[in-house]
Amino acid sequence: MAGERLLLVEDNPQNRRLAQFLLKAHGYLVYEATTGEEALELARAHLPELILMDLQLPGVDGYAVTRWLKEDATTAAIPVVALTAYAMQGDREKALAAGCVGYIAKPIDTKGFPAAVQHYLAPPRAQGEGASS
Ligand code: MN
């Protein structure tokens, strides 16, 4: 169901524009952050339903930003999905260890991206450990 508010953390303007375009077309409201500090600020201010986190950011990387979000009681329950160009299993594990619920591979697959996002917004019923809102 569309209308959910997402926070997109991505420093690359082309990736950001593409993700924003695809998500907006599917009815999502998307806040944009280009740095970790901005991400934290927007997450606290808007409490989005989901955060899409580029792992490679200038300054503080996405792993550290995810850990900040998870350590902050205000934002800890918001699921964070890593956006990663890394194909290595170790990096995916690192993202999960930082607190991400999963990852979406870059380059962004224009057909599959909205469905991948939707998947994390509406996890299967068996996955009941998260917040129910
Ligand atoms: Mn990046």
Side-chain angles (χ1 to χ4, degrees), residues 9-12 15 54-58 106:
V9 189
E10 169 64 75
D11 65 304
N12 180 289
N15 287 340
D54 177 23
L55 294 176
Q56 287 187 300
L57 294 169
K106 290 194 289 190

Side-chain angles (χ1 to χ4, degrees), residues 49-108:
E49 273 78 46
L50 188 77
I51 298 174
L52 298 169
M53 179 70 67
D54 177 23
L55 294 176
Q56 287 187 300
L57 294 169
V60 183
D61 66 27
Y63 302 105
V65 181
T66 301
R67 283 192 292 268
W68 289 351
L69 289 162
K70 293 295 137 185
E71 284 164 11
D72 185 330
T74 313
T75 55
I78 305 170
V80 179
V81 176
L83 292 178
T84 178
Y86 300 148
M88 301 296 288
Q89 185 66 26
D91 293 305
R92 292 171 176 178
E93 283 165 1
K94 217 174 134 189
L96 299 180
C100 293
V101 292
Y103 58 85
I104 295 174
K106 290 194 289 190
I108 291 168

